Amino acid sequence: MKKLRILIADDHGLVRRGARAVLHSRHGWRVVGEAANGREAVDMAIELKPDVAVVDIGMPELDGVEVTRQIRKAVPDTKVLVLTMHESDHMVRRALEVGACGYLLKSDLTECLTKAVKAIADGKRFVTPKVSEIVLDGFLKTRSEHLRGERRGHANDTSRDRDYPLLAEGKSNKEVAAQLGITVRTVETHRAKIMLKLGFHSLAELITMRFATN
């Protein structure tokens, strides 16, 4: 089993102890440091250079989003997993945009923490089905609001804006192109841009996880 050096950053001692106990259950994994605030988390990451940093969002000194940004800049080989109670599409997007490789709710800590750490240590992204549903629901809500604005007279919006809900529904590139009267290549380009904004490698991955919760 791959050996991993892990940093835990959370201002609640109980959460740190719980995370440490779960992580130490894996042979070869070692928690090399524990930080109680954001500034301490960044300093310890720079000093210890862990393979993975498990970071809470709501910490004093610096919040988890800023901690993630600074760690990814100063120690690019350290992968960051956000562990939080925030069930917010906006927060998920912020964390992924600054370089987090995963987003895990504290309610899923016992069941999913080792899976999440292993996934991001292997160079993958990790979100639970619940988080993927939060992201997708927020995404569809945003696009729906944009489309309602278009119907009220936003004539300057392009056909590209109408691609998003169709792609999120899981329609193929060919189906979307036929429905909107655009080329398949154009749809492929828009799909890639969507995934870049969401921070995922493929929309299929997100759709699969979303419907796995139904």
Side-chain angles (χ1 to χ4, degrees):
M1 185 177 294
K2 181 180 179 180
K3 294 183 178 181
L4 289 177
R5 302 172 68 255
I6 305 165
L7 170 67
I8 301 173
D10 195 294
D11 58 328
H12 294 94
L14 183 61
V15 174
R16 294 199 305 274
R17 288 193 294 273
R20 182 176 65 243
V22 171
L23 294 169
H24 278 176
S25 68
R26 298 295 294 264
H27 179 70
W29 290 15
R30 183 161 63 99
V31 174
V32 295
E34 297 182 28
N37 63 64
R39 177 55 61 192
E40 188 177 31
V42 174
D43 292 342
M44 291 183 73
I46 293 173
E47 177 185 356
L48 299 172
K49 296 179 174 56
D51 300 300
V52 176
V54 181
V55 175
D56 182 28
I57 286 288
M59 290 189 293
E61 301 288 337
L62 296 173
D63 69 23
V65 172
E66 180 60 20
V67 169
T68 299
R69 188 190 69 78
Q70 292 194 23
I71 288 177
R72 293 296 296 149
K73 181 178 180 180
V75 197
D77 289 338
T78 296
K79 308 293 179 59
V80 177
L81 169 68
V82 169
L83 176 65
T84 180
M85 65 178 61
H86 291 283
E87 299 183 17
S88 163
D89 167 61
H90 175 66
M91 195 64 72
V92 177
R93 290 180 183 234
R94 285 186 64 203
L96 295 175
E97 284 171 357
V98 297
C101 297
Y103 195 99
L104 181 64
L105 298 176
K106 289 183 178 179
S107 57
D108 296 322
L109 185 153
T110 302
E111 181 181 357
C112 298
L113 181 57
T114 57
K115 296 177 186 177
V117 170
K118 183 179 186 303
I120 69 173
D122 289 340
K124 304 173 184 176
R125 291 187 182 273
F126 184 93
V127 294
T128 60
K130 186 173 183 179
V131 172
S132 68
E133 185 167 2
I134 290 169
V135 173
L136 185 57
D137 286 348
F139 172 68
L140 293 176
K141 180 180 178 181
T142 298
R143 297 315 308 168
S144 178
E145 290 172 352
H146 287 182
L147 288 174
R148 284 199 297 270
E150 182 183 66
R151 295 189 190 101
R152 288 194 297 267
H154 290 248
N156 290 331
D157 286 351
T158 68
S159 61
R160 176 180 60 188
D161 295 324
R162 295 190 292 273
D163 295 3
Y164 298 117
L166 296 175
L167 294 173
E169 289 169 6
K171 291 183 181 296
S172 69
N173 293 341
K174 187 175 181 180
E175 289 172 327
V176 174
Q179 187 165 340
L180 297 177
I182 58 180
T183 67
V184 173
R185 182 175 294 277
T186 298
V187 176
E188 290 173 347
T189 299
H190 299 339
R191 187 185 293 275
K193 289 180 179 178
I194 289 172
M195 298 320 303
L196 180 62
K197 290 180 180 179
L198 290 177
F200 291 92
H201 294 301
S202 70
L203 189 62
E205 177 189 37
L206 188 58
I207 292 169
T208 299
M209 288 187 291
R210 192 259 191 234
F211 287 104
T213 64
N214 290 341

